[in-house]
Amino acid sequence: MIAQRGLFAGPDPVISKDLYAQAVSGSACRERSTLTVEPASKVSGNTYFGRFPASYWQRWTTVDTVEVSLEASGSGTISLLASDFEGEPRVVTARVVGDETVSLSAPLDRFVDGGAMWLEWETEPGQRLIVEDVRWTVPATERSRLTAVTICTMNRPADCLATLTAIESDSLASDALHSIYVVDQGTDKVRADGVLPGKLRYLTQPNLGGAGGFTRGLYEVADENVNMLFMDDDIVLEPDLIVRMTAFSACTAEPLILGGQMLNLLHPTRLHAAAEYTDLDGIRPGMPIRHSLHAVDLLATDPATGRPYRQEFRVDAGYNGWWACLIPYEVVKEVGYPLALFFQGDDAEYSYRAREHGFPTVTLPGAGLWHTDFPWKDTDELNRYFILRNYTIISALHGDFPVLKIAGTLLAELVPYLLGMQYGAAATLIQAVSDFLDGPSILDDGGVSALARVRELRARYPETVAHPPTAAPGLASNDIVISEPGFLDRLALGPLLGVHRLALGSVPVSEATWWRVGALRTAVVTDASQRGVRVRTYDRSHLIRLAYQGAQVLTRFIRDGSAVRERYRAALPQLTSRASWSGLFSNEGLIP
């Protein structure tokens, strides 16, 4: 079974080839599946995509030996190297080669806490080495099965079509697939006629969020003995991710949820996180696991070790984002379907529920794709409602749910919103907590009514809308200049007393603290997307009304939170059943 391929260039010219193979000295020509090492040169595969994650294979699979084969022509030396959990390298085996098929093998026996394997190629003066068709293989298993892919998409037809085309252009990846479900929930439809014939299943439905989109694919293959791989639409896909995840899942000692890693689309050499967890009691998702790399440039050097950033230490994940996440048939059969959270948190909830049934989540290094950078998404968006509501639900279902601590977390978010003139964000938080307290019935329609309700709510607050930087409503472009912070701004005189140091000013998003913004009567704040600006204007009536509503809803949360928690827990088996989703899909006219 092919566990992964040795590739030397990415699927798109914007992707640095150094993520696949790096010229240590001399020069080399790197093409997708072919490497040419010029005389007196050395190339290393100790890269993000070039490494074989030996530690993860030893810990989670029944495989005890890996073999790497390739076609060589010319002459040179090929070495198989390994690292330990501290990143210390060692040579496993090396061979001087000519025109031949090369096969090197190594036991997976010294990697429990960490470490990986990779190849290096070196030539002496007068030598030239061409390498092709590099394959890391492991023994086939009885549990090998095909994978079905579900891509949930909404109004990103070009992105979705690019992903489908990337799969179709890679025969090894497409051959590993049983079927591909595109669940289109938008108005700008995907046109994929003739793409992946015989495998593509194109479905349309009303917008039921990510949970409804992904679950629709899961629902369609419920009676088939295949694994399901969820993938987002706004990605650049490395097709070998499908090969790597399918092979690893087939070899695990017991079924588990397998996640792929995310690299940032706008900064393609940056890794989002090696593994993440949710702080259940702090209702905070996306926390990096201890010892895991996160927000690092994979081509940079770690100043602490002097070595490139590599995930040497093996880490366990709490959950994995559904930008790429493989769920085996056995998990769905035992755990049930996702919870209808619309979007945000459905991935985390499913992993924590699966863990309670004995199915951990593993995030596999080197199984990567590129997804829109999270820091370039503004926090004052509609999805903040779903983050707050859904992660409170997840804490109630799977955490200790310390009511006072969570109330304190919500209050610590609400107060800066009010003082920073983010009245729409404050109203969004209040609505999220109120809806949580209404109990599990808020999930009955899959989130459709909540989406409409929050959109209408946020439309009442002008600062929730981004504008072009030269067209801020009611303001002359030349009157808006960047304000400098003042010594007394932290006293919050402006937000609390209505006494502002400046009438108007511009504030960069990186400096948009509540006290810096609150010193202005009108603040023009850069949107995190860097596409425009938000105009925040002091409104004492909004401040007082929302503070009162916030105090009311948090008091209610402290009083009733524990009882509401029990209602969610009692309802969970029914909410995640096939029958529940059948009812939801039937109501939308999707199934008879």
Side-chain angles (χ1 to χ4, degrees), residues 318-348:
Y319 76 100
N320 200 94
W322 283 354
W323 50 75
C325 191
L326 189 149
I327 303 175
Y329 169 81
E330 295 90 342
V331 175
V332 181
K333 184 177 180 180
E334 175 70 21
V335 175
Y337 286 80
L339 189 61
L341 295 174
F342 195 73
F343 72 110
Q344 302 290 344
D346 42 3
D347 45 16

Side-chain angles (χ1 to χ4, degrees), residues 5 62 82 86 92 97 149 156 191 277 288 329 390 421 424 439 446 454 470:
R5 287 170 291 180
T62 57
E86 293 182 323
V92 177
V97 301
V149 169
R156 292 193 181 104
R191 306 299 178 193
Y277 74 100
Y329 169 81
N390 293 351
M421 302 185 294
V454 177
T470 57

Side-chain angles (χ1 to χ4, degrees), residues 361-484:
T361 295
V362 174
T363 300
L364 185 65
L369 51 70
W370 293 266
H371 182 282
T372 303
D373 308 34
F374 289 153
W376 286 55
K377 296 184 177 182
D378 204 279
T379 57
D380 190 2
E381 296 286 357
L382 181 146
N383 68 338
R384 193 64 195 161
Y385 163 86
F386 290 99
I387 291 174
L388 291 164
R389 188 200 70 175
N390 293 351
Y391 280 96
T392 306
I393 292 173
I394 295 167
S395 178
L397 291 172
H398 306 296
D400 293 332
F401 200 63
V403 171
L404 289 177
K405 178 180 178 181
I406 294 174
T409 298
L410 294 167
L411 179 63
E413 185 166 329
L414 176 63
V415 170
Y417 285 159
L418 295 173
L419 298 181
M421 302 185 294
Q422 290 180 278
Y423 306 119
T428 301
L429 182 150
I430 292 166
Q431 187 69 59
V433 179
S434 177
D435 284 359
F436 164 80
L437 291 169
D438 286 346
S441 62
I442 62 169
L443 305 178
D444 287 347
D445 68 352
V448 175
S449 60
L451 178 65
R453 183 167 59 252
V454 177
R455 276 180 174 161
E456 189 278 329
L457 173 70
R458 289 177 57 82
R460 304 173 196 170
Y461 300 95
E463 83 281 354
T464 62
V465 179
H467 306 277
T470 57
L475 301 173
S477 179
N478 286 356
D479 291 340
I480 306 171
V481 296
I482 297 176
S483 69
E484 296 298 325

Side-chain angles (χ1 to χ4, degrees), residues 238-255:
E238 169 49 75
D240 209 49
L241 172 142
I242 295 172
V243 176
R244 298 180 187 205
M245 294 183 71
T246 299
F248 190 94
S249 181
C251 295
T252 56
E254 298 176 20

